[in-house]
Amino acid sequence: MHTSGRNSSEPVHAPDRPAPRAFDADGPLIGRQADLDRIDAFLDDVPRHGGPLLLLGEPGVGKTALLAAAASRAAHRGMHVLAATGAEYRTRLSHGVLGQLMEAAVHARPSIVPSIVPADALAVALGRSGGPAPEPEAVADAVVELIGQLARHGPTLLVVDDTQWLDPASARVLGDVARRLAAGGALLCTARDGTEGSFDPGGLPVHDVAPLSESASENLLLQHFPALAPRVRRRLMAEAHGNPLALLELPVALSGPQRSAATALPERLPLSRRLQSAFASRVTGLPAATRYLLLLAALDGTGDLYVLRRATAGRIALKHLDPAERAQLIRVDEPTGLTFRHPLTRSAVVELSTSTERRSAHRALARAWQEAPERHAWYLAQAAEAPDEQVAALLEQAAAVLGRRGDGPAAVAALLRAAELTPQGPERARRLAEVAYTGANITGDLRDVPHLLHDARHMTPEAGPPAMATAVAGAAYLLNGSGDIDAAHRLLCGAIALRPEPYDPADATLTEALHTLLLVCFFGGRPELWPAFDTALAAYPAPPPLLATTRATFADPARAAPSHLAELDAAIARLPQETDPLHIVRVATAGAYVDRLDGCAEGLRRVVAGGRRGEHVTPAIEALFLLGNHAWLTGQWPELGHLAGEGLDLCEQHHYPVLAWVGSYLLACSAAARGDHGATRELTDRMQQWAGPRRASTVRVYAAHARTLSALGQGDFETAYQEATLITAPGTLARCAPHALWTLMDLVDAAVRTGRHRQARDHADAARNAGLAAVSPRLAMLVHAAAALAADDDRHPGFQEALAVPGGERWPFDLARIHLYHGERLRRGGARTEARHHLTAAAELFRRLSAAPWTDRANQELRACGVPGPTASPAGPAVLTPQQREIANLAATGLTNKRIAERLSLSPRTVSTHLYQLFPKVGVTSRAGLRDALERLDRQ
């Protein structure tokens, strides 16, 4: 056998050995005729149409056995069968399953495959050749092309077992390939029901593999354990619930007297514990050499006998696998490979081993894979007993290779382990932050690293640029991941404080750190967070213009100077030529509280379009919510629902809980204005519950604003006052409380209606004295209207001044409220004719907005003026369109937007829009309540 060293660009699998064999079929299957009929129909259709089929079922239900039968039937039809299996212990090894399939392809048609593979993106992804990291789409293109070449010489079937354990890189590629298969090419795969993994089965045709019937269960037991006493057989059938694996394994753990009913069976235990016990009893009885070989095979996961020989250096002959094979735990096809008969066997082998045995096995596997740097480093890392800088460095290098190949999840896993193996100190902090950076920019989901970042934030970052960059990444992860605002603040402030003064405006890394710190301070919403930022800003001889502008107009717009507004307007004017999505979002953010979003809308839509293409997720989320904010203020509330829904879907997919609260806030405000107070309460309760322990005061402010609007709509002015004053005290515009500008008229209205006239006047005066009328036309409307509301004079000119502001129709909800307040005052002053004009305008504007409680309020005032009008009527049954009802039914079953879209031939964006339009109709704010709501609707 060939044992010489290999170049690092060569494949990581072992050379000079036969191809892996497809799954074995162990004879006829009991009780599976309907499943086999479905598989036969699928196979018969492969030459004409091709495509995928997913066998879905619970663990142990027999999916692998059906897959083996399918592979055998396909081979008898003359198909090329390329088989691979996902393995729990190698989900972090890049492109592992894809490599299995391509190895099988090489041996299926050796005259075809070598001419294709070395030259394309697939070769780079598998490490067969160098080159820039290919996109997953390019790798999928190469696989589809390869299958097409094979299909010209006969139908080709990919058979993949346990897709829930695919490595993420293979999962992405195979998910794409599955949806693009054409005539002659097919994918038959299995997945555990209810188990999450990297492979997305959304939209694939599914065949549910159900438990066996009672008669089939009994037949299975009679065939394999004919000596079981009838009473014992019935008991086992009752506990197995038709699960074939349990039916076959539970009797193994019983003693002879128990099987014959001479002694009582043990007490009923959870099925998983019984199965684990059964596997353990079979593994522990094996010889030590056999268990060691099984441990190597389980940890390696490739089934490659060549690897086992290399790992043992010939000291343990493979004949020691015979006891495990006789025990029917494995199948061995010398010299092809080793297959565990069920994944739980593999799990039992590993769990029954000691930590010393596992470290020894990993060291042996590292020797076997020393010519594949990333695998070699991974196994060395798993064998390490203590921090080891040399191994950590190797693993970091391996992570860089994986990152260049485009395999972010595998790179993150390698970096995580590298950080764990790094001795305490700045280098460990750097690697921890590097993990956060890689995850935030590639995977968007790093649920394994919070405890590592907890260690990093207690270490003093170095003063150099790399330390600053990783501090920014770590803080961004803390903010967008766990929402740990105070930790992110400490991490950034510690790094920034070590920069030598005066700060260089051209230092892009420092500027990025301060932009991140600004967001941290904003979401924290507490005055004590800002001094560190302001101290850093003062250390510049001339701070970066956008940074200084954003600090003024976004963080504390009540105190923004005219020069800041002028700089902002100039930046907005340059947006049509701007291509950097992050810059566009930052300019728009600076303009949000000072009503400049209209000029940013075109640029924000470009950012959203790029996000839909997968170019930049985080800026796209922020752009969606900024556009949603603009839609809220301009009365485009259906569009708001669409934008917020799409943004929330992205937040859920990429795990950005902090950003998600912006979308929830927008939905809560629109729900409050439309009179959906239950939805408002549910959304704001969740905001409060999340924000409290994280001290995220701005999220609490979001909740308070929505609750203020809801209370005003219900005429509960005391609650409205209490909620509004949580944002800012009456008579003040609190520092760094930008939301105080948006609730100006709300607080004054609530104060007047609860008899707090002095507080109302003080607050209106504070707004006037701050010069808010000069900030934007909308704020000018609010300042004038607040002054009129607070005044005792029913003919105070403030209402007319507010209504005379040019362009007031751009903000219909604010405009309608001002008409309403003016009409109410005029009616009480006896000027009914004038009052009717304003009240009619208010009612019409509210009606167009579907602001039901406000429409009723305006109509009540009109009736008091002697104008007949509609009375408030109780809401009737919700009316859903047929498409909305179909989407609601599918969502209620737990399907994602993506799967619903694929099933109905819609885009996920359209599904999201429909959901957020129908939620208010059925009285819910999330999928969780859909099932009950639809049942209530059916009863109406």
Side-chain angles (χ1 to χ4, degrees):
M1 180 168 284
H2 187 72
T3 58
S4 61
R6 298 193 302 271
N7 186 283
S8 61
S9 65
E10 292 177 349
V12 297
H13 58 78
D16 296 338
R17 48 187 181 78
R21 186 177 61 180
F23 298 96
D24 293 312
D26 286 339
L29 299 177
I30 294 175
R32 291 301 183 195
Q33 191 56 51
D35 303 288
L36 294 171
D37 289 345
R38 176 66 180 92
I39 288 171
D40 284 335
F42 170 75
L43 295 175
D44 289 341
D45 197 47
V46 170
R48 294 190 300 275
H49 300 103
L53 178 64
L54 174 68
L55 304 181
L56 186 66
E58 66 182 17
V61 79
K63 304 181 297 295
T64 300
L66 285 169
L67 210 59
S72 177
R73 291 171 181 233
H76 283 117
R77 284 171 165 81
M79 294 184 179
H80 305 305
V81 179
L82 314 182
T85 302
E88 188 176 9
Y89 297 100
R90 53 188 170 94
T91 56
R92 292 181 174 182
L93 296 178
S94 178
H95 292 103
V97 169
L98 190 60
Q100 291 182 49
L101 289 171
M102 294 307 103
E103 180 75 359
V106 169
H107 292 276
R109 297 293 298 189
S111 62
I112 297 175
V113 178
S115 66
I116 301 171
V117 175
D120 59 21
L122 183 56
V124 178
L126 297 179
R128 295 177 180 234
S129 64
E135 293 293 332
E137 293 80 5
V139 181
D141 289 342
V143 175
V144 171
E145 179 184 352
L146 175 58
I147 294 170
Q149 292 278 3
L150 288 170
R152 293 190 184 98
H153 299 267
T156 300
L157 177 67
L158 306 185
V159 178
V160 182
D161 200 12
D162 286 329
T163 58
Q164 74 276 358
W165 287 335
L166 294 184
D167 60 280
S170 295
R172 284 197 304 271
V173 172
L174 290 177
D176 192 1
V177 168
R179 293 162 178 83
R180 296 166 55 190
L181 290 169
L187 168 68
L188 184 63
C189 56
T190 71
R192 284 189 176 185
D193 196 8
T195 301
E196 291 187 1
S198 299
F199 182 74
D200 178 14
L204 299 189
V206 173
H207 176 71
D208 291 309
V209 181
L212 295 177
S213 67
E214 183 174 344
S215 61
S217 297
E218 186 169 24
N219 288 338
L220 185 63
L221 283 174
L222 286 170
Q223 177 174 314
H224 288 270
F225 302 96
L228 281 176
R231 184 171 62 192
V232 175
R233 187 166 60 245
R234 288 193 297 270
R235 172 73 183 278
L236 294 180
M237 288 170 57
E239 294 210 30
H241 296 289
N243 185 290
L245 180 64
L247 289 165
L248 293 173
E249 295 300 335
L250 283 172
V252 175
L254 300 180
S255 66
Q258 286 172 331
R259 294 185 193 182
S260 64
T263 59
L265 294 177
E267 290 293 326
R268 182 180 177 90
L269 296 172
L271 183 62
S272 59
R273 288 187 59 185
R274 281 192 176 276
L275 288 172
Q276 189 63 43
S277 175
F279 282 117
S281 68
R282 299 172 71 185
V283 173
T284 53
L286 296 173
T290 304
R291 290 181 59 182
Y292 184 67
L293 288 173
L294 291 181
L295 180 59
L296 288 172
L299 293 174
D300 180 58
T302 65
D304 190 340
L305 297 179
Y306 176 85
V307 171
L308 297 187
R309 291 192 182 94
R310 292 281 298 268
T312 60
R315 290 190 296 271
I316 302 177
L318 295 189
K319 68 180 182 180
H320 289 289
L321 290 171
D322 292 349
E325 194 169 14
R326 285 194 295 268
Q328 297 188 2
L329 296 176
I330 60 172
R331 286 188 294 265
V332 178
D333 185 9
E334 177 74 31
T336 301
L338 177 154
T339 304
F340 285 93
R341 286 183 175 268
H342 194 277
L344 286 178
T345 306
R346 184 188 298 114
S347 301
V349 167
V350 175
E351 290 176 12
L352 289 169
S353 65
T354 67
S355 59
T356 300
E357 289 170 336
R358 288 193 293 273
R359 285 194 297 271
S360 173
H362 279 121
R363 282 192 292 271
L365 289 169
R367 291 192 299 270
W369 289 100
Q370 58 188 338
E371 295 160 9
E374 62 273 24
R375 284 182 179 262
H376 175 70
W378 178 256
Y379 287 127
L380 283 178
Q382 296 302 95
E385 301 180 52
D388 187 323
E389 174 57 32
Q390 183 177 0
V391 174
L394 287 174
L395 203 53
E396 187 173 11
Q397 293 170 15
V401 172
L402 294 167
R404 286 195 296 271
R405 289 185 190 167
D407 191 353
V412 166
L415 281 171
L416 274 170
R417 184 60 178 149
E420 291 172 353
L421 292 175
T422 306
Q424 293 286 340
E427 189 68 2
R428 180 178 172 88
R430 181 188 66 78
R431 284 182 175 136
L432 290 171
E434 196 67 35
V435 171
Y437 173 83
T438 304
N441 287 276
I442 300 177
T443 68
D445 180 13
L446 282 179
R447 289 165 288 185
D448 294 332
V449 302
H451 65 284
L452 299 175
L453 287 173
H454 175 79
D455 292 340
R457 66 176 176 255
H458 291 297
M459 301 174 189
T460 302
E462 297 173 351
M468 176 67 76
T470 52
V472 174
Y477 168 76
L478 287 165
L479 179 64
N480 292 317
S482 64
D484 194 339
I485 288 166
D486 289 335
H489 189 270
R490 287 195 300 271
L491 183 61
L492 280 171
C493 290
I496 292 169
L498 292 173
R499 264 306 198 261
E501 297 184 16
Y503 293 161
D504 181 2
D507 185 343
T509 308
L510 178 59
T511 302
E512 190 70 22
L514 285 167
H515 272 294
T516 305
L517 181 58
L518 187 146
L519 283 179
V520 169
C521 294
F522 169 78
F523 277 108
R526 289 172 271 127
E528 67 268 20
L529 297 176
W530 285 101
F533 179 92
D534 293 334
T535 298
L537 203 62
Y540 281 103
L546 182 57
L547 188 62
T549 298
T550 307
R551 170 61 178 89
T553 62
F554 178 66
D556 200 4
R559 292 163 185 82
S563 60
H564 291 129
L565 295 172
E567 289 171 358
L568 175 59
D569 289 335
I572 292 172
R574 293 191 292 270
L575 285 184
Q577 291 76 44
E578 181 60 57
T579 58
D580 180 357
L582 190 57
H583 183 81
I584 293 171
V585 165
R586 285 175 174 167
V587 170
T589 299
Y593 282 109
V594 292
D595 300 316
R596 273 19 181 220
L597 287 176
D598 192 54
C600 306
E602 186 275 333
L604 291 172
R605 283 191 284 270
R606 282 190 280 121
V607 174
V608 170
R612 289 171 182 154
R613 295 191 298 269
E615 295 171 3
H616 35 251
V617 172
T618 307
I621 293 171
E622 295 177 289
L624 283 163
F625 291 151
L626 285 163
L627 288 169
N629 180 62
H630 181 248
W632 159 245
L633 294 175
T634 56
Q636 302 171 73
W637 294 351
E639 176 69 2
L640 180 157
H642 158 65
L643 293 164
E646 185 176 358
L648 287 170
D649 283 346
L650 287 174
C651 287
E652 182 178 358
Q653 292 168 28
H654 297 277
H655 307 283
Y656 288 110
V658 174
L659 293 181
W661 294 120
V662 182
S664 295
Y665 157 71
L666 293 170
L667 291 177
C669 284
S670 76
R674 289 184 285 102
D676 189 350
H677 305 301
T680 305
R681 184 168 53 255
E682 182 180 339
L683 286 165
T684 55
D685 283 348
R686 294 209 305 264
M687 290 182 202
Q688 293 279 35
Q689 290 164 8
W690 185 91
R694 294 167 177 82
R695 304 180 71 208
S697 294
T698 291
V699 178
R700 288 202 293 260
V701 164
Y702 288 160
H705 185 188
R707 287 176 173 178
T708 299
L709 288 173
S710 181
L712 288 173
Q714 296 176 87
D716 184 356
F717 300 111
E718 179 60 32
T719 296
Y721 180 79
Q722 297 300 330
E723 293 289 346
T725 54
L726 292 176
I727 298 169
T728 187
T732 65
L733 297 172
R735 286 191 173 274
C736 298
H739 244 68
L741 275 63
W742 286 358
T743 55
L744 165 62
M745 193 163 64
D746 303 330
L747 194 155
V748 172
D749 183 21
V752 168
R753 293 176 190 278
T754 56
R756 296 177 171 93
H757 298 286
R758 179 181 59 78
Q759 289 89 335
R761 287 192 296 274
D762 289 347
H763 206 61
D765 290 344
R768 184 188 66 248
N769 296 336
L772 296 187
V775 172
S776 76
R778 190 180 78 88
L779 287 173
M781 288 173 58
L782 300 185
V783 169
H784 294 316
L789 271 172
D792 294 332
D793 182 3
D794 289 336
R795 288 192 172 271
H796 189 282
F799 286 126
Q800 289 294 349
E801 291 170 345
L803 295 172
V805 170
E809 66 280 357
R810 292 163 54 199
W811 308 286
F813 188 50
D814 293 321
L815 182 65
R817 289 176 64 184
I818 294 169
H819 274 299
L820 174 64
Y821 298 149
H822 192 21
E824 288 174 336
R825 287 294 183 88
L826 289 170
R827 182 188 68 78
R828 283 196 290 273
R832 291 193 170 192
T833 301
E834 289 182 76
R836 282 196 291 269
H837 165 72
H838 292 288
L839 293 172
T840 300
E844 178 59 21
L845 285 169
F846 287 138
R847 185 190 64 78
R848 291 178 188 173
L849 292 169
S850 298
W854 296 88
T855 305
D856 290 344
R857 186 165 153 185
N859 286 332
Q860 287 174 350
E861 289 290 328
L862 279 170
R863 287 193 293 275
C865 286
V867 177
T871 58
S873 57
V879 178
L880 301 182
T881 67
Q883 188 171 67
Q884 285 179 332
R885 183 57 190 254
E886 189 171 14
I887 290 171
N889 287 333
L890 292 172
T893 67
L895 291 182
T896 64
N897 286 3
K898 185 177 181 181
R899 290 194 67 179
I900 296 171
E902 290 165 346
R903 185 167 294 191
L904 301 181
S905 300
L906 301 171
S907 72
R909 184 180 173 196
T910 300
V911 172
S912 174
T913 300
H914 279 300
L915 281 174
Y916 284 98
Q917 287 175 348
L918 69 86
F919 281 172
K921 291 185 178 183
V922 298
V924 301
T925 57
S926 67
R927 298 166 182 265
L930 265 180
R931 187 184 298 275
D932 291 341
L934 293 175
E935 289 177 357
R936 288 195 301 270
L937 186 61
D938 289 338
R939 292 194 296 267
Q940 291 177 347

